[in-house]
């Protein structure tokens, strides 16, 4: 099952899949409205921040990406470049 979160402002589902893609789905129209690739591997966690219209994705490629959810464009990447380091094993967002 892909990771997902729901935007409460525009009632759209944001999905993160095993291919590292983020997709936006409109459940009322039953259509895929947008899709983009950001991560090099599976997305472990996805969080939609309504107040700033941002999306945060966490991938097993050892990166965290901040997205403009309206344009579905990546605006910042945090990446662990040391393959020997222990990265994270879980994510917690506190609103």
């Amino acid at each position: 099952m892909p990771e997902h979160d729901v935007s409460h402002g525009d009632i759209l589902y944001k999905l993160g899949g095993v291919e590292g893609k983020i997709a936006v789905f409109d459940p009322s129209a039953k259509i895929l409205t947008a899709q983009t690739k950001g991560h090099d591997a599976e997305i472990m966690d996805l969080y939609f921040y309504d107040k700033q219209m941002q999306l945060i994705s966490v991938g097993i490629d050892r990166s965290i990406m901040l997205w403009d959810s309206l344009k579905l464009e990546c605006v910042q990447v945090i990446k662990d470049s040391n393959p020997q380091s222990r990265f994270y094993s879980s994510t917690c967002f506190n609103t």
Side-chain angles (χ1 to χ4, degrees), residues 12-83:
L12 296 174
Y13 290 107
K14 278 58 171 186
L15 306 169
V18 294
E19 308 89 17
K21 293 180 181 177
I22 293 177
V24 180
F25 180 74
D26 182 342
S28 63
K30 298 181 181 173
I31 60 169
L32 183 69
T33 60
Q35 182 172 303
T36 190
K37 177 139 170 78
H39 291 275
D40 295 328
E42 180 179 350
I43 295 173
M44 291 182 1
D45 205 354
L46 197 62
Y47 175 74
F48 187 79
Y49 185 48
D50 278 316
K51 291 180 184 175
Q52 298 294 324
M53 298 305 290
Q54 294 175 330
L55 190 64
I56 301 167
S57 59
V58 181
I60 63 170
D61 61 356
R62 306 168 71 86
S63 67
I64 300 170
M65 301 179 95
L66 177 65
W67 301 84
D68 176 323
S69 68
L70 298 175
K71 299 176 186 175
L72 207 54
E73 292 178 356
C74 182
V75 294
Q76 186 173 5
V77 177
I78 301 167
K79 187 157 179 87
D80 183 1
S81 59
N82 182 356

